[in-house]
Amino acid sequence: MYKFFSLLFFSTLFTFSSTISLQVLGSGGPESGDKRASSAYIIWIDGKNKVLIDFGGGASLRFEEVGAKIEDLDVILLTHLHVDHTADLPALLKSSFFTRASGNLHIYGPESNKFMPSTEDFIERLFENGNGAWQYLGDHLDGSARLQVKAHTIDESRNIKVIYHKHGIKISAVSVHHGIIPAIAYRVDVGNKSITFSGDMNGDYHTLETLALHSDILVAHNAVPKDAKGVATALHMRPNIIGHIAKQAQVKKLVLSHRMLRTLGRERETKKEVRKYYKGVVKFANDKSYYKVR
Ligand SMILES: [Zn+2]
């Protein structure tokens, strides 16, 4: 009994005193002219890159540059399956061959619709023995390689669900509106610290406000400017919508990322729009930007 309580005490202590930080790997979108890697983020917990959110083009190089290691990774969260959020996954998986990475690497992402496969299907189409485009990496799915990929599909839901709770890391997910593409926003809680990721979305489902409530950091995607219209606003939040959500959620810090040619250079205008509602700290992300959660 004593052993049980002392274990409980120390694990609680460990969780509450953990140092947590956010590192941006890719602060850009799908364009090649933005001189940024596409969407990707690391959550460092006690110096280890435990959680990865998205892994778009260029993220693999940034992953190396910041000293991240695949053997330290537990979970990958895909906000949706567009190229600018997933393209470097095969490179990451292949790189594990040259490391001591082992055990299960969990990959979570959205369900299918007629435009997109489910996350489980997506991973199988990439890597499965006999079918996958890179079937030579199929041993990561069939139990034979040291590192095993476990893909999980998250069903569409406007109710927040806890999808992962292990080793003091709690991850919650909810559907967000990104045009016709199934998309998920995630919140990662470690002890009493939390970081929420909007992914690409336009705000129509009004789910992010609740998911992000009292987060230390909200990472929101600044893909369109104040005067955006039409298709762009069916896919992405205008800056005033980001500001409104950050205010409703009462987040401590707002990090604007997924910056594109149409928003780069318009930071002053964007911040002014955000400031109409949100009065807290606002940061514009660059590749490798690092934010410690205090
Ligand atoms: Zn995107």
Side-chain angles (χ1 to χ4, degrees):
M1 187 57 96
Y2 168 76
K3 203 170 169 188
F4 171 76
F5 280 114
S6 64
L7 265 175
L8 191 71
F9 173 74
F10 282 114
S11 68
T12 308
L13 190 73
F14 170 78
T15 308
F16 273 82
S17 60
S18 291
T19 59
I20 314 297
S21 43
L22 163 72
Q23 187 146 35
V24 178
L25 294 182
S27 58
E31 295 157 302
S32 60
D34 58 7
K35 300 186 175 62
R36 291 159 191 268
S38 299
S39 184
Y41 309 94
I42 280 175
I43 296 182
W44 294 96
I45 302 172
D46 295 330
K48 292 190 169 178
N49 50 277
K50 290 295 196 185
V51 184
L52 194 60
I53 298 89
D54 287 343
F55 210 64
S60 184
L61 176 60
R62 298 287 182 254
F63 189 82
E64 284 177 43
E65 288 172 341
V66 302
K69 295 183 183 135
I70 188 163
E71 48 270 52
D72 287 343
L73 197 57
D74 289 340
V75 190
I76 301 176
L77 306 172
L78 301 175
T79 59
H80 61 293
L81 304 181
H82 272 156
V83 167
D84 57 319
H85 298 253
T86 57
D88 271 11
L89 278 177
L92 182 71
L93 188 58
K94 178 61 213 173
S95 75
S96 73
F97 179 79
F98 304 95
T99 72
R100 304 179 73 84
S102 62
N104 292 332
L105 176 58
H106 297 278
I107 303 182
Y108 289 85
E111 66 174 7
S112 65
N113 67 4
K114 66 177 176 178
F115 306 104
M116 282 282 157
S118 72
T119 299
E120 284 161 75
D121 243 3
F122 177 75
I123 295 298
E124 280 175 13
R125 289 187 202 181
L126 289 179
F127 305 120
E128 194 178 42
N129 274 329
N131 285 318
W134 288 287
Q135 57 175 298
Y136 79 108
L137 300 179
D139 56 348
H140 290 286
L141 301 189
D142 68 9
S144 50
R146 280 195 313 269
L147 183 69
Q148 287 298 302
V149 170
K150 302 287 178 193
H152 308 272
T153 297
I154 303 169
D155 291 336
E156 151 106 34
S157 172
R158 299 192 197 180
N159 296 318
I160 296 164
K161 286 188 291 197
V162 175
I163 57 158
Y164 180 94
H165 201 170
K166 274 184 207 161
H167 316 304
I169 303 169
K170 182 173 123 183
I171 300 170
S172 311
V174 75
S175 294
V176 288
H177 187 266
H178 183 43
I180 56 171
I181 303 301
I184 307 273
Y186 294 99
R187 175 188 178 120
V188 180
D189 285 275
V190 181
N192 58 354
K193 295 164 181 159
S194 56
I195 306 175
T196 300
F197 298 85
S198 73
D200 291 2
M201 53 165 271
N202 80 342
D204 275 4
Y205 288 177
H206 301 286
T207 47
L208 183 63
E209 294 86 332
T210 312
L211 182 73
L213 194 65
H214 300 305
S215 288
D216 292 284
I217 300 176
L218 169 62
V219 180
H221 284 181
N222 178 214
V224 297
K226 173 187 175 181
D227 52 5
K229 288 185 186 73
V231 177
T233 58
L235 294 169
H236 297 291
M237 300 176 275
R238 286 195 306 268
N240 63 328
I241 295 174
I242 296 175
H244 193 257
I245 291 171
K247 181 187 183 228
Q248 296 284 108
Q250 302 171 59
V251 297
K252 288 191 191 146
K253 184 180 283 180
L254 175 64
V255 172
L256 299 175
S257 189
H258 201 291
R259 303 169 68 191
M260 296 182 63
L261 297 179
R262 56 200 179 194
T263 51
L264 286 163
R266 296 178 70 169
E267 289 75 17
R268 190 193 289 229
E269 169 197 285
T270 295
K271 201 166 174 179
K272 207 170 152 191
E273 286 294 295
V274 168
R275 281 268 178 262
K276 284 182 180 170
Y277 299 100
Y278 178 67
K279 310 298 179 198
V281 180
V282 178
K283 300 281 184 191
F284 287 91
N286 294 309
D287 287 12
K288 298 192 271 185
S289 288
Y290 180 87
Y291 306 98
K292 191 167 180 184
V293 179
R294 295 177 197 285

